[in-house]
Amino acid sequence: MRPAEYTPEEIVQAGEALQAAGRNVTGFGLRQKVGGGNPTRLKQVWDDHLARSSVTEAEPVAELPVEVAEELATVSKALTERLAALAVELSDKAVKAAERRVGEVVRAAGEQHAAELKQVRADTAAAAKEHQVAAQRAEQEQAALRSELAQANARAERAEAKAGEIERRAGELRTELDRAHQDAD
């Protein structure tokens, strides 16, 4: 960064000259008056000078008459007490509002939990009903299969008995045929 070409004293003198001429002190006005420089820096130096010079000494205040001072003290005390009472009242209202809000949040959470629990119970009941229906179907299918098996066993026994009868009859016919062959010979 370049060193400043113009001292703060030169910039302050230029600003005072602009004020004396009845002009507003701007960065560009200062630049024109000092003959160059960065307008932002020039204005900053001027603003700093104004800030330092604006500090004024407090003027002594005349004392109040005794009656006014006493009344002021009484009013100040009453006002302080009233402000303290208002602060307590506002604090109570804030606490009650916070408690009410907490109660609402807790109640809403409880309602949401109850709704979720109700949904879980409904889902569980639906799943149990589906399971029960599936179990009944399985029992019905099992009963139907047992019935079909019993019928098939009965048919097989009848077929076996018929086959035994046919074999016996075939044996008799063979015996008769053999006799008929023997008689024919």
Side-chain angles (χ1 to χ4, degrees), residues 14-81:
E16 289 172 348
L18 286 170
Q19 279 185 333
R23 294 181 48 199
N24 287 336
V25 179
T26 63
F28 290 103
L30 289 168
R31 180 179 182 178
Q32 187 178 23
K33 197 73 170 163
V34 295
N38 181 340
T40 305
R41 178 184 173 273
L42 299 174
K43 180 68 170 137
Q44 181 64 44
V45 170
W46 175 252
D47 289 342
D48 290 344
H49 164 71
L50 289 178
R52 282 190 305 272
S53 64
S54 68
V55 176
T56 57
E57 292 184 28
E59 295 180 20
V61 178
E63 285 194 32
L64 296 173
V66 174
E67 295 84 10
V68 174
E70 288 174 354
E71 184 64 25
L72 180 62
T74 304
V75 169
S76 294
K77 182 179 178 185
L79 183 59
T80 302
E81 290 171 356

Side-chain angles (χ1 to χ4, degrees), residues 21-162:
R23 294 181 48 199
N24 287 336
V25 179
T26 63
F28 290 103
L30 289 168
R31 180 179 182 178
Q32 187 178 23
K33 197 73 170 163
V34 295
N38 181 340
T40 305
R41 178 184 173 273
L42 299 174
K43 180 68 170 137
Q44 181 64 44
V45 170
W46 175 252
D47 289 342
D48 290 344
H49 164 71
L50 289 178
R52 282 190 305 272
S53 64
S54 68
V55 176
T56 57
E57 292 184 28
E59 295 180 20
V61 178
E63 285 194 32
L64 296 173
V66 174
E67 295 84 10
V68 174
E70 288 174 354
E71 184 64 25
L72 180 62
T74 304
V75 169
S76 294
K77 182 179 178 185
L79 183 59
T80 302
E81 290 171 356
R82 179 65 184 138
L83 286 174
L86 282 174
V88 168
E89 185 180 330
L90 288 175
S91 175
D92 287 345
K93 286 181 180 180
V95 167
K96 287 177 183 175
E99 287 173 350
R100 186 176 56 247
R101 179 68 181 129
V102 166
E104 290 171 0
V105 168
V106 167
R107 187 177 63 253
E111 289 171 358
Q112 182 180 0
H113 177 70
E116 289 172 356
L117 183 59
K118 184 178 179 180
Q119 183 63 41
V120 166
R121 286 181 177 158
D123 291 347
T124 303
K129 183 68 176 174
E130 288 176 13
H131 177 72
Q132 183 180 14
V133 168
Q136 287 174 346
R137 279 192 199 130
E139 286 176 9
Q140 289 170 349
E141 288 177 15
Q142 186 180 25
L145 289 174
R146 282 187 182 151
S147 174
E148 286 179 28
L149 178 62
Q151 290 173 4
N153 283 339
R155 283 192 303 265
E157 286 176 8
R158 283 193 304 268
E160 198 174 300
K162 195 172 188 177

